[in-house]
Amino acid sequence: MITYQEHRLRTLVEGGRWHDLLAVYRQVRAAAVAREGEEAAVVETALLGHLIAYAAPPELAVRLFDADGGPGTSAGVVDHDAGPLWEVLATRHSWLRLAPLLGPAPVRRLVAQTRVLIGEDLSYGAETDPEGVPLLLEPWEAVGWGEGVRVRDYLPGGGARSALLTLPATREGLGPVLLPEPDGRLRGQPATGALAALADWVDVVCVRGPAPRAAAQLAPGHRVTGGYLPFAIAYPVLVQAGATERSRGSAHGRLALWRALGAMAGHDGPDRAAVNALVARMRCFTWWDPADGLRHLHLAMEDPATGLSWAVSGSDEP
């Protein structure tokens, strides 16, 4: 049922009264922060924030994130409706339009990384990413996606459509595989924690040996339906695993995955040359689990150069 408040907001949107809408947003958010705290403010202003981020002129939409309205009035990186407000904004305007307007550094970075995922080349003219994550998609980052699924498809009146990416997507191309006995987990590997940071619904292990040995730690049995695939096919699912929470966007998934790949390559950060070399030599194994929910991810990644393999596995209901 549409409430009176929602009807009033949509009337203001239809009339293009963006300054009034921003004033309402700031007033409601500050009052909610004072009354119940930040989490309540995010919920209470979600729809209005979405409407402004989606449809307001960029010169005004970016002011959602400015603190010039006073304490508690500005959206942060976790403010969201169906997705983070900065991601809604990033889907609506090019970096060329947004770059001169955006202020807060965390928001600027996430918007820039979202534009990169959408396909914009920011490798010339944009400020360097603080961790060195490239501002242009590497070739292996671009090939595994379906059309228009790298970022949520936001709707004008609130909400979003998003692709349900899974690995494996089907059992096509997979066959019966006998996995080795599960033993010999390696503890304390930085890459293990970095991969686990992608999503709270996956388990991650590291072993010394080939990818099937890592898979054996998390697979449902010794005999599975599985097979090898290029890392480029797995990449979109790993990115989207990092964006399953509504307060997180695809940029979070890309940044987290580059950190993990850098750690797998033996670096403290996402070194571009080292990550590209790792991806080029990596062998990836996936398997099917009959108990899977609608969203699932089962992937083992082997680095022949070090003899180490990591398995990432889990299932989650969207």
Side-chain angles (χ1 to χ4, degrees), residues 202-254:
V202 297
D203 294 318
V204 181
V205 298
C206 178
V207 304
R208 188 171 300 281
R213 180 170 293 174
Q217 300 280 342
L218 301 177
H222 295 317
R223 297 181 182 274
V224 298
T225 300
Y228 285 89
L229 77 167
F231 179 75
I233 302 301
Y235 172 79
V237 186
L238 290 166
V239 170
Q240 291 304 316
T244 52
E245 294 180 23
R246 285 163 49 165
S247 61
R248 291 167 62 88
S250 296
H252 283 114
R254 184 177 190 244

Side-chain angles (χ1 to χ4, degrees), residues 149-309:
V149 300
R150 295 178 188 168
V151 180
R152 294 179 181 97
D153 179 19
Y154 290 100
L155 306 176
R161 292 185 291 257
S162 58
L164 191 64
L165 301 179
T166 59
L167 189 72
T170 69
R171 283 183 282 177
E172 185 178 352
L174 306 181
V177 177
L178 181 62
L179 297 176
E181 288 292 327
D183 62 355
R185 292 191 186 191
L186 296 179
R187 309 288 181 178
Q189 294 292 321
T192 306
L195 286 166
L198 280 172
D200 59 9
W201 50 272
V202 297
D203 294 318
V204 181
V205 298
C206 178
V207 304
R208 188 171 300 281
R213 180 170 293 174
Q217 300 280 342
L218 301 177
H222 295 317
R223 297 181 182 274
V224 298
T225 300
Y228 285 89
L229 77 167
F231 179 75
I233 302 301
Y235 172 79
V237 186
L238 290 166
V239 170
Q240 291 304 316
T244 52
E245 294 180 23
R246 285 163 49 165
S247 61
R248 291 167 62 88
S250 296
H252 283 114
R254 184 177 190 244
L255 291 170
L257 185 52
W258 269 86
R259 291 185 198 108
L261 292 171
M264 290 169 66
H267 287 257
D268 291 334
D271 182 274
R272 183 181 182 185
V275 168
N276 279 328
L278 170 68
V279 170
R281 67 177 181 262
M282 192 158 48
R283 303 184 72 222
C284 297
F285 178 83
T286 189
W287 67 94
W288 178 73
D289 186 336
D292 279 335
L294 290 177
R295 179 187 287 119
H296 54 269
L297 166 60
H298 307 299
L299 179 69
M301 297 168 282
E302 172 189 342
D303 182 3
T306 62
L308 299 180
S309 294

Side-chain angles (χ1 to χ4, degrees), residues 13 28 44 104 107 110 128 187 212 244 313 315:
V13 169
V28 172
E44 195 161 334
V107 174
L110 291 167
T128 304
R187 309 288 181 178
T244 52
S313 180
S315 179

Side-chain angles (χ1 to χ4, degrees), residues 21-38:
L21 282 160
L22 180 63
V24 172
Y25 177 88
R26 288 176 165 182
Q27 180 181 13
V28 172
R29 197 184 191 286
V33 169
R35 187 174 62 250
E36 298 179 80
E38 283 284 341

